[in-house]
Amino acid sequence: MTLSIKTPLIKSSQLSELNNCNVWLKMESSQPTGSFKQRSIGNACLKYVEQGAQKFISSSGGNAGISVAYMGNMLNIPVTVVVPKTTSQKAIDLMVQQDAEVIVHGDSWMEANELALSYVNEKAVYIHPFDDQYLWDGVAHIIDEVIAEDIHPSAVILSVGGGSLISGIHQGLTQNHLDIPIYAIETHGTASLNNSMKLGKHIKLDEVTGVATTLAAKQVCENAFMISQNHNVQGITVSDQAAVNACLKFLDDHRTLVEPACGATLSILYDQKINFMPLENVLVIVCGGASISFEQLSKYAQQLVA
Ligand SMILES: *Cc1c(COP(=O)(O)O)cnc(C)c1O
């Protein structure tokens, strides 16, 4: 049974030339559900089934919910996902396609989440989108796979939403004794980690804005904040326009459609935001994202790039 797959590690000739170093793309966009969530949610769902779970509950209207739905379908476990009215039809369709029960409830994620939590009991397990050790264990394998291909990165660039990706990558680096900087990328409107880093305390944003809805956690998990305080983490925020532009360029260069949440990270390389040394191997986590269509990306581009 294929739950999450070993993803391609591709040297981008376009981005390598542009940045005068070796840029390696870890293509999590190639996961069966289109994002790295297949690693995090995939592992957590397996662990909870081993511990007796008979139902999965989620409140994610995005890639986490899509992966929970996929896992339920694969493992023959019923899934209920409660999502707010703001959730894209595309995401709902992808969850229903996997036979999940999707309940649309409330104007905000908080309201949807409250209803979801009311369904949780001993057998019906809540799958958190980013704050759970099992999620991070699944993500850490990304680094094992890179090392197994004999690529030794000198820096990693990734996007931050609620912080499971950075938590898992940090764990993978530590397990492989790699002490290298992590560049933590957010859009200006979703900068929960970058703002916490600036203030030196674990803050919660009043609101989140912009097109990178997948990064829109108002507060990162405690573990992600701790990593930013104890490891070499360099925070950078980018505009929505830069993220969308990078999605369009990446589509041309690598023929892969990704969400602005992923475009934010790619924009660091397209816009040459960091000076790398010529022989450096820079690892880019192409986190992917399934809640995007070419039509939607074109609309964002018209609104922003004009
Ligand atoms: C979930 C997700 C993120 C953010 O990951 P966190 O673990 O929440 O920080 C970024 N990009 C994509 C495509 C995602 O699905």
Side-chain angles (χ1 to χ4, degrees), residues 253-279:
D253 285 346
H254 288 279
R255 304 156 304 279
T256 300
L257 179 64
V258 296
E259 287 183 17
C262 179
T265 278
L266 297 170
S267 77
I268 296 298
L269 294 149
Y270 278 114
D271 298 340
Q272 302 165 24
K273 288 282 176 70
I274 307 170
N275 278 322
F276 294 110
M277 306 287 240
L279 294 176

Side-chain angles (χ1 to χ4, degrees), residues 55-56 58-62 65-66 69 79-85 87-105 112 115 119:
K55 187 173 171 115
F56 299 141
S58 167
S59 57
S60 159
I66 293 166
V79 173
T80 296
V81 188
V82 186
V83 298
K85 288 174 192 156
T87 306
S88 73
Q89 191 58 45
K90 166 120 195 190
I92 293 174
D93 290 347
L94 287 168
M95 294 188 266
V96 170
Q97 215 172 62
Q98 299 293 339
D99 295 334
E101 174 190 30
V102 179
I103 300 173
V104 180
H105 173 84
L115 183 62
Y119 296 142

Side-chain angles (χ1 to χ4, degrees), residues 10 20 34 56 73 111 135 141 156 208 221 228 285:
I10 294 169
N20 195 29
F56 299 141
N73 198 9
E111 288 168 60
L135 302 170
H141 290 301
V156 187
V208 279
C221 60
S228 76
I285 310 299

Side-chain angles (χ1 to χ4, degrees), residues 223-234:
N223 191 61
F225 177 66
M226 291 303 292
I227 289 167
S228 76
Q229 300 303 292
N230 297 316
H231 184 93
N232 182 359
V233 177
Q234 305 288 329

Side-chain angles (χ1 to χ4, degrees), residues 35-37 63 130 159-165 214-215 259 261 287-289:
S35 81
F36 83 90
K37 293 292 195 312
N63 297 307
F130 53 83
S159 297
V160 177
S164 68
L165 183 56
T214 294
L215 303 183
E259 287 183 17
C287 45

Side-chain angles (χ1 to χ4, degrees), residues 65 77 90 112 119 124 144 149 173 245 250:
I77 300 262
K90 166 120 195 190
Y119 296 142
D144 299 338
E149 294 203 40
L173 293 176
N245 257 327
F250 193 68

